[in-house]
Amino acid sequence: MIVAEAVGRAFAACGTGTVFGVVGSGNFHVTNALVAAGARFVAARHEGGAATMADAYARMTGGVGVVSVHQGPGLTNAMTGLTEAAKSRTPLIVLAGEATEVTSNFHIDQAALATAVGAVPMRLTSARDAVQVAAEAYRVALQERRAVLLNLPLDVQAAPYEGSPDVTRPAVSRQVEAGHDGQPAELARLLAAARRPVFIAGRGARDARRELERLGDLTGALLATSAVAKGLFRGLPWDLDVSGGFATPLTAELIRGADLVVAWGCALNMWTTRHGTLVSPDATVVKVDLDPAAFTTHVPADLGVPGDVAAVATRVAAELDGGSEGYRSPELARRIQAEGRWRAVPYKDESGDGRIDPRTLTTGLDELLPKERIVSVDSGNFMGYPSMFLDVPDEGGFCFTQAFQSVGLGLATAIGAALARPDRIPVAALGDGGAFMGLSELETVVRLGLPMVIVVYDDEAYGAEVHHFGPHGSPLDTVTFPPADLAAVARGHGIPAVTVTRPEDLSAVAEWARGPKDGPLLVHAKVTRERGSWWLEEAFKGH
């Protein structure tokens, strides 16, 4: 066999069950070797879509996402998806052909590209150690939670391989360090003394619900999450849902009132804290994280506890001497039940003149779509509406590829999430800008037969820019567009579609939901556009 075939078999042996990509001459053999070894290949229509699909797939399965691309332009097309994965610390591997001859039109410094966006560059340098390098790339992605670019030089790929492609499958190496030097005992002391403790759980806490729930019960802490961990505490009476720009008024009030904020696997960035304004200057801040660098970034910690979230929570619980009511009370439980979701917050419906209020739209969708869903949200002015008004059953019901804030990743995210969780109805929430950017993957949705609901919030503009610059009298011709019939575009791809301009138009969604749900539906919603999202100005403070 040749090296490319040995590498493909080695990746399958490491545990690659699904690989996303666009095949060209430079990744043809390695991709086919993966398929021959039992992996499923998902062909995307653009490498950027393939990388984002793999990212979402990894997030929702807890495994490693694998992408296969051609050298040069195949990799550059995938760079935005790779950047998102690198920023999010998603375990991801990009297998990329590489032209090493400087006279080749495909030649670029691929390793430098990876380094520039925070990914780990690796390369096959010889036939002799190719399989070992491949296995090491997989280990780095899995155990260190890094996005890895494995460059596959064409001449090395084509060389004969004499050894065995069998490798030992790397284990998920969960670091169980639970603090040191008395830090868990100090956190226990702070929790015991706190009258109004709040937990904010982030990506690093997605597998620690049980441990955090128990510690919350012992200390009377209220439970919130960052956006990426939305749904983690769903069903608990003390669940405040998402902290930050998407927080309900009650959630913002209660977090501001906390005297102790404990961030579990959460950096407390500007989005999660509204640029720090949700954390009282009088509050004590504790961060529990595998990466000690998180202790001094964004909102600095008064106490940093390095370690795995579940292990630290268990250790702190063992240090406690008895329990405390903390922030919890019967009256507060009633308030959270009555006011703790955006659907309970009154608003004036602004639907009219051929457009539907996005809050009314999203509330209607929440009522009509199956509760066992997985929601993926693109970036843009609209993004708060599905993030806040569409409920999810748990932390596996929300896929938020927003570390890089790139418009156009939403549809590919939804495809990857759908393949990871075929037991749930996938919902892709897009703005019109993101829908047009990701349009090529509509064919992928149809080809895969996904029962996906694609909702396009269409304001015929890049709404974030309109509402940020428009009030200052700036010209907006560069960020506004004429009407486009996205429903007709969907039908051209073989996707049933409905245009929604008023609540009554959602009857078509109800009909789809009552049916067999054996294919996709696109909802082209012409939404009101007189005002920007209320979280938008908070977001622009960081620009």
Side-chain angles (χ1 to χ4, degrees):
M1 73 182 78
I2 61 174
V3 167
E5 294 168 334
V7 168
R9 293 189 189 186
F11 267 90
C14 284
T16 301
T18 300
V19 57
F20 300 83
V22 176
V23 172
S25 59
N27 63 323
F28 183 86
H29 293 298
V30 70
T31 306
N32 281 330
L34 273 160
V35 173
R40 178 187 185 184
F41 177 65
V42 179
R45 287 300 189 174
H46 190 280
E47 290 90 349
T52 301
M53 291 174 200
D55 182 354
Y57 186 85
R59 295 179 194 226
M60 294 296 103
T61 62
V64 175
V66 178
V67 190
S68 178
V69 299
H70 188 271
Q71 64 270 24
L75 177 61
T76 58
N77 279 348
M79 286 308 297
T80 299
L82 177 59
T83 304
E84 169 63 35
K87 285 183 173 290
S88 296
R89 294 297 291 265
T90 300
L92 184 84
I93 299 172
V94 177
L95 299 172
E98 183 181 30
T100 54
E101 303 83 2
V102 294
T103 55
S104 169
N105 60 305
F106 291 133
H107 175 72
I108 54 174
D109 191 341
Q110 297 189 172
L113 280 178
T115 300
V117 301
V120 178
M122 300 180 71
R123 172 181 284 116
L124 302 186
T125 57
S126 71
R128 178 173 48 81
D129 62 359
V131 166
Q132 288 72 28
V133 172
E136 175 63 7
Y138 197 95
R139 185 203 65 78
V140 170
L142 179 67
Q143 296 183 354
E144 299 181 21
R145 300 192 64 82
R146 298 298 301 273
V148 176
L149 168 64
L150 180 58
N151 287 309
L152 310 175
L154 301 184
D155 56 343
V156 178
Q157 283 195 61
Y161 184 77
E162 303 297 340
S164 168
D166 295 333
V167 295
T168 301
R169 182 171 183 170
V172 177
S173 178
R174 180 176 175 182
Q175 301 181 48
V176 294
E177 181 184 2
H180 50 80
D181 297 334
Q183 294 159 333
E186 176 62 10
L187 176 51
R189 186 192 69 78
L190 291 171
L191 284 166
R195 297 177 57 196
R196 298 179 303 281
V198 169
F199 292 172
I200 303 179
R203 180 179 289 109
R206 282 172 59 94
D207 62 350
R209 169 173 164 148
R210 179 174 58 85
E211 293 83 359
L212 293 178
E213 179 182 351
R214 177 170 180 265
L215 185 60
D217 288 343
L218 288 172
T219 59
L222 304 183
L223 309 171
T225 71
S226 67
V228 292
K230 178 180 171 69
L232 179 64
F233 300 118
R234 190 65 76 247
L236 300 180
W238 308 105
D239 175 22
L240 301 181
D241 203 34
V242 176
S243 172
F246 300 157
T248 64
L250 176 62
T251 294
E253 171 194 330
L254 295 174
I255 294 175
R256 285 193 180 105
D259 59 359
L260 174 64
V261 175
V262 185
W264 300 91
C266 176
L268 296 182
N269 64 24
M270 63 184 184
W271 315 111
T272 306
T273 64
R274 295 188 184 177
H275 295 268
T277 63
L278 286 187
V279 179
S280 167
D282 298 323
T284 300
V285 175
V286 179
K287 291 185 179 181
V288 178
D289 206 290
L290 286 172
D291 183 4
F295 302 156
T296 56
T297 57
H298 307 298
V299 178
D302 298 297
L303 172 67
V305 184
D308 172 80
V309 165
V312 171
T314 299
R315 173 86 178 273
V316 171
E319 296 277 355
L320 288 167
D321 183 17
S324 168
E325 182 181 87
Y327 216 153
R328 301 180 181 185
S329 69
E331 178 185 358
L332 189 54
R334 287 190 290 270
R335 283 196 69 193
I336 293 172
Q337 183 176 23
E339 307 171 42
R341 292 291 179 273
W342 274 104
R343 290 191 54 173
V345 178
Y347 70 93
K348 180 182 179 181
D349 189 341
E350 298 177 354
S351 303
D353 297 325
R355 294 191 172 271
I356 187 170
D357 189 310
R359 296 165 293 186
T360 303
L361 165 73
T362 316
T363 300
L365 292 170
D366 188 53
E367 294 173 352
L368 295 172
L369 296 177
K371 300 303 179 186
E372 287 298 309
R373 62 184 67 144
I374 183 164
V375 177
S376 301
V377 182
D378 209 329
S379 190
N381 178 64
F382 79 96
M383 63 188 289
Y385 303 112
S387 299
M388 292 183 279
F389 288 91
L390 281 180
D391 206 2
V392 294
D394 53 35
E395 74 280 5
F398 195 67
C399 196
F400 198 63
T401 49
Q402 294 293 328
F404 195 36
Q405 281 191 279
S406 173
V407 175
L409 304 187
L411 183 57
T413 298
I415 294 171
L419 294 173
R421 294 298 304 265
D423 56 318
R424 294 189 171 179
I425 292 296
V427 181
L430 320 173
D432 53 311
F436 278 111
M437 286 189 187
L439 205 60
S440 60
E441 303 305 346
L442 285 179
E443 188 277 334
T444 306
V445 173
V446 174
R447 175 166 31 90
L448 297 176
L450 299 177
M452 181 183 294
V453 179
I454 304 165
V455 185
V456 182
Y457 293 73
D458 184 7
D459 61 0
E460 296 165 10
Y462 294 132
E465 284 65 36
V466 166
H467 296 294
H468 184 62
F469 295 107
H472 304 292
S474 300
L476 299 175
D477 293 349
T478 56
V479 291
T480 55
F481 301 89
D485 192 344
L486 279 159
V489 172
R491 295 186 193 106
H493 284 79
I495 300 176
V498 57
T499 298
V500 175
T501 61
R502 52 186 186 148
E504 293 83 355
D505 297 331
L506 290 172
S507 60
V509 179
E511 183 179 350
W512 180 90
R514 288 192 297 266
K517 296 181 282 293
D518 54 0
L521 173 72
L522 185 136
V523 179
H524 178 204
K526 293 182 174 291
V527 296
T528 54
R529 53 189 180 180
E530 285 70 30
R531 67 186 71 223
S533 300
W534 57 94
W535 58 270
L536 190 63
E537 283 307 313
E538 287 290 333
F540 270 112
K541 289 178 183 177
H543 289 192

